[in-house]
Amino acid sequence: MPIAVTSENYYSVEVDREYLSCSQYQRFLTCEAAEMAYLRRGYKYPTSEAFLVGNYFHTALESEEAHEEFCQQNFEEIFKYKVDKATGDLIPTGKYAPFVKADQMIRVCIEDPTIAKLLLRYGENEKIMTGEIFGVPWKIALDKYVETSRTIIDWKTAADLTKTEYN
């Protein structure tokens, strides 16, 4: 019986051993040895700035609660800070440039009438689904799923819309 996939375990090595995902498939294409080291021995991939900024953007569009939780979990990567000498607490003094830019992107999305309509549509954020493709179990997390109209919304960020890249 496969593991039940939840928001708490979606990114775990245990679930990745049971289910393929688009990201895992891409990692296999990049370097099979690294992905097998991750699956067998728990090799840790470095967290990229692009991944953090993308998740920062996603959680802001998901809900205030999800965004606040993400910011707390990744406080030192998002915020410039100083340490209060008396208490040892971290006091934010600003955000690093990529997250300032992400805040601008979020503001543009929220203020754009077309995107605002998508944000306001009734649906489930971060909907997790599983299934099989050619007998292989797969997992997916949909950014927003509107079941009544069978609509999937997939939020994307890009470093540069004018740059051409090939794979």
Side-chain angles (χ1 to χ4, degrees):
M1 186 82 179
I3 298 172
V5 184
T6 66
S7 58
E8 289 78 24
N9 69 9
Y10 186 87
Y11 293 105
S12 72
V13 68
E14 293 78 19
V15 169
D16 283 346
R17 286 181 186 136
E18 299 277 335
Y19 296 89
L20 271 175
S21 66
C22 183
S23 299
Q24 188 180 32
Y25 180 74
Q26 290 170 338
R27 290 192 306 262
F28 268 118
L29 291 176
T30 301
C31 181
E32 292 175 30
E35 187 59 16
M36 289 308 295
Y38 160 75
L39 291 171
R40 290 186 177 162
R41 296 185 298 281
Y43 166 76
K44 300 284 187 215
Y45 285 99
T47 303
S48 72
E49 183 179 275
F51 179 78
L52 283 173
V53 171
N55 279 321
Y56 180 88
F57 179 85
H58 274 221
T59 59
L61 298 185
E62 181 182 344
S63 70
E64 284 184 38
E65 297 80 18
H67 192 59
E68 178 63 30
E69 182 180 339
F70 179 82
C71 289
Q72 289 302 317
Q73 290 173 348
N74 298 282
F75 183 88
E76 293 181 22
E77 290 83 8
I78 297 168
F79 295 97
K80 298 176 185 178
Y81 59 90
K82 64 180 182 178
V83 178
D84 183 302
K85 291 180 179 151
T87 64
D89 292 339
L90 302 179
I91 300 169
T93 60
K95 292 180 184 173
Y96 290 106
F99 298 97
V100 172
K101 187 68 162 176
D103 284 337
Q104 292 170 345
M105 293 172 10
I106 292 162
R107 198 169 26 262
V108 166
C109 288
I110 291 169
E111 292 172 1
D112 181 276
T114 303
I115 295 175
K117 285 181 187 177
L118 294 173
L119 288 169
L120 293 173
R121 287 193 71 183
Y122 179 78
E124 189 174 347
N125 291 317
E126 298 302 315
K127 169 75 173 170
I128 294 172
M129 300 176 98
T130 60
E132 285 192 5
I133 300 174
F134 301 115
V136 177
W138 281 74
K139 66 177 181 171
I140 186 170
L142 306 173
D143 295 341
K144 187 164 194 162
Y145 179 61
V146 184
E147 187 172 13
T148 54
S149 61
R150 297 180 50 148
T151 302
I152 298 169
I153 299 171
D154 189 29
W155 306 117
K156 292 294 180 204
T157 59
D160 185 342
L161 291 176
T162 62
K163 185 177 178 184
T164 303
E165 292 190 35
Y166 297 93
N167 182 343

